[in-house]
Structures are given as C-alpha cells and as structure tokens.
Amino acid sequence: MTATQSFTGDAHPYGGGDPYADYRTADFPFTRYANLADRQLGAGVVAANDEFFAQRENLLVAGPAEFDPEHFGHKGKVMDGWETRRRRGASAEHPWPAAEDHDWALVRLGAPGVIRGIVVDTAHFRGNYPQAVSVEGASVPGSPSPEELLADEVKWTTLVPRTPVGGHAANGFAVSVEQRFTHLRVNQHPDGGIARLRVYGEVVPDPRWLSALGTFDVVALENGGQVEDASDLFYSPATNTIQPGRSRKMDDGWETRRRRDDGNDWIRYRLVARSEIRAVEIDTAYLKGNSAGWASVSVRDGDDGDAGAGEWTEILPRTRLQPDTNHRFTLAAPAVATHARVDIFPDGGISRLRLFGSLTEEGASRLVARHQELGG
C-alpha cells in the first residue's frame, strides 16, 4: 500500500493572484468513498472550545475555502474556516502553551459508518495553521448533546494520532479502524485554523431503523447504498445521484462530458443489502439542455465472487427521459438484487436515482450481522 503523501511547514505568504496557485494537495485514494461529514447528509459541528476568529461551522461548508485578502473584521482577518485564538502559557516565565494544550471541535457525522480516510484542509492558513492535528471517533446512539459527548463514559478511539501538518495544504490521513462511528473529535495542537474537514467512508445504517421503515430507498447513500463505479466523472461525482432530497442546482446531479462515439454512459451501484425492488424513480431536475436522452435500469443478484452471482437483468427498458423532470415507474414484479446499474443514452446526466423496496430476509440478516461486528 502506497504511503499517504503528507505536508508540513508554512506555505509562502500570499503574494497576490490566484490564492490556490501554490496550494499543496495530492490524489488520496480514499476520496472515492462518500463524504460522511456532508451537510447534505445531516452532518454538523455541534461544539468547539474556541472559535474566536472564525466559526466552527465553516469546517463542513461544501466547496473549497475562499480567500479575500481585503476582508477584515473587528477581531482581525476574516477567514473561511475554523480558527481559534493564539494560546498562551501560564506565566511570563512560561509564556508558551503546554505540550498537552489543544483546541477541539465535535463533529456529528451525517451518516454513521466506517471511516476510510480524513482530509484536514488548511487552505489559506499559511502561517496560522495548527502545528499538528489528531482525530478521534466515538459511537453514541441517538442525538447526544455536546455535554453528553464530553462525558467521561464516552469511549473515544484514535483514528489519526497527533501528526504534524502543513499550512495551505490538503492534509490526508488513511484510516484503518474497522468500526462504526457516529461522531468525531477534531483536535488542533496547540491552536490555529482549519479550513475544511472531509470524512470519507462507507455508511453503515441502523438495521432496526430500516426494519421499522419497511419500504425505503435501497440505493440511497443515507441507507447504506454506494456507487461502485461510473463511466464518466468529468463534471460531477456519481455519488450525487443517491444523495438525500432533490437536486437544488445543475451540479448537484451527475453529468458526463459530450460523447463523440457510439457508446453510452453508466453508473454501477451496490445496494444496502439484498433487496426486493418494486419501484424506480429517475430525476433529471435542473438538467435541461444536458439531461440524458434515454435511460435503462438493470440489476444483478450477488457479487462477482459469489457462486450464485447472476447476470445483469433489465428491469426498466430503455426509456425516453424529459429534461428537468421526475420520472416514476412501478415494476410488474419485484426484482431481487444486490447491485443495480443505470445506463444513460448517449450521454448527459441524471440528478437522482431511487430504488424503492425492502430487504430480503437474507439481506436483513447480513445487515444485522455487519452492524454488530462493527460495534453498532
């Protein structure tokens, strides 16, 4: 396994022009997973010990941090991130922070899950970033308050040990803890600023909740569905198609580049578990001159390595789509599947795919077993 590229030290002072021209980043393999700290999933920064210069909520804002060199407020430079005041020591004889001094923020994940990687982004924090960061995870049921999360009985597991980071950089950390987490504690040592936090992983839903729902969207990200692969990610990620709610703008869906051949584009999904699908919804909201012309949906029962893995079976034949429209289809008979695939013809995009159904007895059993294995 290739070591994750890391950055340390100050960035150069801003010298004008594009502030991202000297931004340090890398291609982190774990970013193929969904961002469990996405506000659209319901994530939030529920508390922080200090946010004197910049608000903690900025950590989860979608999109890259912005920088305005002329923007100052009554407390100083206005930064697009979470920034704490400078720590001081106990006395004039010891003016420096103690080794254990640090600031912290509590983050509620939008969907509980297994974390595969974390990016602590210090964009535009060139000389005022933390010297090091650490990240811990906890699994707490329900909707705990900050006080409950900070209680002595809550067990926190180290996901990222105290590690030096660099200024104006995407600091990535691969995580290998096979456990289900609901909350994170992000620590910066001893103080400073973090622009964005991204937490990549696999959703692990509560099987009791899905059982109570009965019929639900078996490919939805929040329920544990995931994108396995896609033919084209030029304009936007395929994971957008299984995000909660309807698309709110054009780039909130999946759009491919223009094809100049006789092929077609597609997305392959893994369902939350083995399911019976009874209805399909394909939405092209906000895709007007660039929506897919036609679409089909196919399913497969079993992984490639399973002895009983089946071939792809079409459950929705190639069907004409209208721009900026939600299309609904009921199936003549339930389709049992573990995977699904949407094909669009020839290119373009869709904003959402919904597959409504319920778990099979086997699917429900496997989901319960995995939830227990991961400490849920």
Side-chain angles (χ1 to χ4, degrees):
M1 182 176 177
T2 304
T4 303
Q5 185 172 345
S6 60
F7 307 98
T8 56
D10 292 351
H12 295 298
Y14 175 63
D18 178 9
Y20 275 104
D22 59 341
Y23 176 68
R24 295 177 287 177
T25 187
D27 183 16
F28 303 118
F30 51 74
T31 58
R32 68 183 180 87
Y33 293 99
N35 177 20
L36 304 183
D38 192 335
R39 284 286 301 170
Q40 198 169 348
L41 277 175
V45 187
V46 299
N49 73 306
D50 186 290
E51 47 187 327
F52 184 86
F53 284 116
Q55 298 173 342
R56 65 181 192 262
E57 288 85 359
N58 290 334
L59 282 173
L60 306 188
V61 170
E66 298 179 356
F67 180 71
D68 181 353
E70 306 299 327
H71 194 186
F72 286 83
H74 293 293
K75 293 182 178 180
K77 181 73 187 71
V78 176
M79 297 294 290
D80 185 8
W82 168 50
E83 186 181 6
T84 65
R85 73 193 78 198
R86 298 184 188 222
R87 281 185 170 269
R88 298 297 185 231
S91 66
E93 289 72 28
H94 298 281
W96 308 279
E100 67 275 10
D101 285 350
H102 67 278
D103 292 319
W104 53 263
L106 296 177
V107 177
R108 179 189 65 241
L109 297 179
V114 178
I115 297 168
R116 301 301 183 193
I118 296 172
V119 173
V120 177
D121 189 347
T122 58
H124 314 303
F125 290 96
R126 296 169 176 269
N128 50 347
Y129 59 94
Q131 182 184 32
V133 300
S134 61
V135 183
E136 303 159 281
S139 184
V140 184
S143 304
S145 67
E147 292 74 22
E148 291 169 325
L149 290 171
L150 294 171
D152 292 339
E153 59 268 23
V154 174
K155 178 187 175 183
W156 291 93
T157 300
T158 298
L159 305 181
V160 178
R162 181 169 175 170
T163 306
V165 294
H168 197 43
N171 299 278
F173 306 94
V175 177
S176 58
V177 180
E178 202 69 19
Q179 190 175 330
R180 178 182 185 266
F181 294 103
T182 61
H183 294 78
L184 298 185
R185 183 161 60 189
V186 181
N187 306 304
Q188 48 179 340
H189 308 268
D191 54 42
I194 299 171
R196 296 287 188 267
L197 176 74
R198 304 294 186 240
V199 183
Y200 297 98
E202 301 171 63
V203 176
V204 180
D206 184 343
R208 294 167 297 181
W209 174 252
L210 297 183
S211 176
L213 292 179
T215 296
F216 57 93
D217 182 1
V218 297
V219 76
L221 180 60
E222 61 188 320
N223 294 332
Q226 58 182 287
V227 168
E228 287 193 327
D229 200 3
S231 62
D232 188 289
L233 302 173
F234 190 82
Y235 285 114
S236 46
T239 304
N240 283 353
T241 60
I242 54 175
Q243 285 278 9
R246 293 197 74 198
S247 177
R248 297 168 294 179
K249 49 193 174 77
M250 192 176 74
D251 65 350
D252 194 16
W254 172 61
E255 182 188 358
T256 71
R257 74 191 82 194
R258 300 189 187 208
R259 275 191 171 267
R260 304 306 187 196
D261 58 24
D262 294 332
N264 74 283
D265 289 314
W266 51 267
I267 307 175
R268 188 177 75 241
Y269 305 89
R270 176 186 290 273
L271 308 185
V272 54
R274 194 166 188 250
S275 306
E276 280 193 354
I277 302 168
R278 294 186 288 275
V280 175
E281 193 172 282
I282 300 175
D283 196 353
T284 58
Y286 289 96
L287 295 166
K288 299 180 179 181
N290 50 354
S291 67
W294 293 262
S296 65
V297 178
S298 303
V299 297
R300 189 180 70 205
D301 186 19
D303 290 321
D304 289 335
D306 292 349
E311 299 296 323
W312 289 101
T313 302
E314 196 172 68
I315 61 173
L316 180 70
R318 192 179 304 189
T319 303
R320 189 75 167 94
L321 299 182
Q322 299 299 322
D324 196 27
T325 300
N326 197 18
H327 309 75
R328 289 177 171 172
F329 311 94
T330 56
L331 304 185
V336 176
T338 56
H339 295 73
R341 171 177 166 138
V342 60
D343 283 83
I344 63 171
F345 303 88
D347 55 23
I350 62 173
S351 59
R352 296 289 187 271
L353 173 72
R354 306 296 187 206
L355 301 177
F356 294 103
S358 53
L359 298 179
T360 64
E361 186 175 341
E362 177 195 349
S365 297
R366 287 194 177 191
L367 196 64
V368 169
R370 183 163 188 251
H371 188 262
Q372 292 174 343
E373 288 172 3
L374 296 172

